[in-house]
Amino acid sequence: MDSKIKELFKRYQSGTASPAERALVENWFASFEPDEEFNLSEENKAILFKSMDSAIQKRLHPRSSAIWFKAAAILLVSLSAGLFIYRINSRKQAMITYTVIKVPNGQKKEIALPDSSIVFLNSGSSVSIPSNFGDHKREISLTGEAFFIIKHNALKPFTLRADKLTISDIGTSFNVKAYPGDKQISVAVKTGKVGVAKQTPAGKPEVFANAMTAGQQMIYDRTKNTHTLSTVPADGIAAWRNNQLRFDNASFEEIAAQLERWYNVTVKLNINEKQGRRYTISFANEPIDRVLKVLSKLSGATYEINNRNISINLKQNKNMN
């Protein structure tokens, strides 16, 4: 009879117990508080195992109480230890927190990640870093634009999430631009390699590029759900770090948004008719009035500056077809 009791506990611990046997043991154990401390004196043993003994009696023949207490005590210790480990693991998962570092408009910031990787944040950008960064993997999220210099670690891969895109490091430095209001997300590789994929509702990523190399840029169009790969000059990647303001095939709406972030101003854009022109131009640490003068000559726009408020009036370009 003693062997049947021992076999029940062995089957439960090894995971081979039947559903009915597992339910019998688990329902009994669930009747006690998880944090309850048990003093296994002879008196308490009789009380503690009374309900379990009653349930077992219905399925097994009578047994020696001494052997029963000993086996039940072993089961209790095993279950308590397992529950304690589970609770500790659950508590660790529940306690994951996130550090969000934001850079206001008109400023830039350099930060070091816990693994000594470097992130340069552009104006109006932020990164979110989980407290378990580096435990098993390295994963952060970006809103805005940043340049990354990542320390490669094949055992703990680095992953960056930017809106719908997931960028995976293969030992590299790269720039990502993913402002919420922009229609496009760009990923440009300065050195090394990166992989780029889009997150899908089904959970299976759609791979855009397995290994983008130095001098390659990918543009993802949010509205059309399309992407293109091209080659760009390496010295132009993350030129904003050197206070170079660049507009790459940008609409006036995108230009206005970038001016707000760069100079920490408010831009009101008045467009009388839809203008389809896009602009590619750069400025080396120029004041905003100089930038507006050049843009007005290119587009025919007029503008007014009132403290930190700018109004730009843009008419349809006469040279458009």
Side-chain angles (χ1 to χ4, degrees):
M1 197 62 59
D2 298 340
S3 61
K4 291 184 179 180
I5 299 173
K6 292 179 181 179
E7 286 300 319
L8 172 63
F9 297 147
K10 286 181 180 179
R11 287 197 299 275
Y12 183 87
Q13 291 177 293
S14 65
T16 58
S18 68
E21 291 171 333
R22 290 185 61 85
L24 180 66
V25 176
E26 290 171 358
N27 289 339
W28 170 78
F29 189 68
S31 65
F32 301 97
E33 292 295 329
D35 293 328
E36 184 176 348
E37 295 183 2
F38 299 104
N39 180 10
L40 294 178
S41 65
E42 291 301 321
E43 181 181 358
N44 287 342
K45 285 178 185 178
I47 299 173
L48 182 61
F49 300 118
K50 184 177 180 181
S51 60
M52 183 63 170
D53 185 49
S54 175
I56 292 289
Q57 290 284 0
K58 297 178 182 179
R59 304 179 62 89
L60 302 175
H61 297 295
R63 66 199 58 84
S64 169
S65 60
I67 298 298
W68 157 238
F69 282 135
K70 182 178 179 181
I74 294 172
L75 174 64
L76 177 62
V77 170
S78 300
L79 290 177
S80 298
L83 181 60
F84 178 75
I85 294 172
Y86 170 78
R87 287 167 61 82
I88 290 296
N89 290 337
S90 299
R91 193 174 295 125
K92 284 182 178 179
Q93 293 177 359
M95 288 177 62
I96 294 176
T97 58
Y98 293 84
T99 300
V100 179
I101 301 175
K102 297 182 178 180
V103 178
N105 290 342
Q107 298 183 29
K108 303 177 184 67
K109 188 178 184 66
E110 175 183 343
I111 62 173
L113 296 178
D115 65 345
S116 299
S117 296
I118 303 298
V119 180
F120 298 89
L121 284 170
N122 202 351
S123 304
S125 303
S126 66
V127 289
S128 177
I129 308 168
S131 57
N132 64 346
F133 178 92
D135 288 352
H136 302 288
K137 60 182 179 179
R138 299 173 295 164
E139 182 175 298
I140 67 174
S141 299
L142 168 70
T143 299
E145 184 172 20
F147 182 77
F148 299 84
I149 302 177
I150 302 301
K151 294 190 67 174
H152 184 60
N153 184 343
L155 298 178
K156 297 179 180 179
F158 179 87
T159 301
L160 172 70
R161 297 190 180 276
D163 192 50
K164 296 180 180 180
L165 298 189
T166 300
I167 298 97
S168 303
D169 160 61
I170 314 176
T172 185
S173 61
F174 59 98
N175 190 82
V176 177
K177 184 180 180 183
Y179 286 103
D182 291 354
K183 295 180 180 179
Q184 299 177 333
I185 299 176
S186 67
V187 180
V189 182
K190 182 96 171 179
T191 60
K193 298 178 181 179
V194 301
V196 182
K198 177 193 170 188
Q199 303 171 48
T200 63
K204 186 177 181 180
E206 177 184 355
V207 178
F208 287 164
N210 281 319
M212 288 174 56
T213 56
Q216 283 192 314
Q217 177 177 259
M218 191 209 72
I219 302 292
Y220 170 69
D221 190 307
R222 284 175 162 129
T223 58
K224 298 179 181 178
N225 192 29
T226 58
H227 70 281
T228 57
L229 285 171
S230 62
T231 301
V232 294
D235 58 357
I237 296 174
W240 57 267
R241 289 179 55 201
N242 299 317
N243 291 322
Q244 186 174 2
L245 176 62
R246 293 176 63 95
F247 302 112
D248 296 309
N249 194 35
S251 67
F252 231 97
E253 290 87 351
E254 293 168 340
I255 290 174
Q258 195 162 340
L259 289 176
E260 287 188 328
R261 294 189 294 261
W262 192 270
Y263 294 102
N264 191 24
V265 295
T266 300
V267 178
K268 181 181 179 182
L269 188 60
N270 303 306
I271 303 179
N272 295 334
E273 298 181 46
K274 185 174 179 62
Q275 189 191 75
R277 288 191 62 181
R278 305 185 77 86
Y279 303 86
T280 299
I281 190 171
S282 64
F283 300 90
N285 204 24
E286 297 282 355
I288 192 168
D289 58 341
R290 168 65 180 165
V291 173
L292 289 171
K293 281 183 181 180
V294 174
L295 290 174
S296 67
K297 289 181 180 180
L298 288 174
S299 63
T302 59
Y303 63 91
E304 295 179 2
I305 302 177
N306 184 11
N307 293 324
R308 308 200 71 82
N309 298 302
I310 298 172
S311 178
I312 299 177
N313 301 294
L314 186 65
K315 298 180 180 180
Q316 185 179 28
N317 192 289
K318 295 181 180 180
N319 296 325
M320 289 181 60
N321 293 328

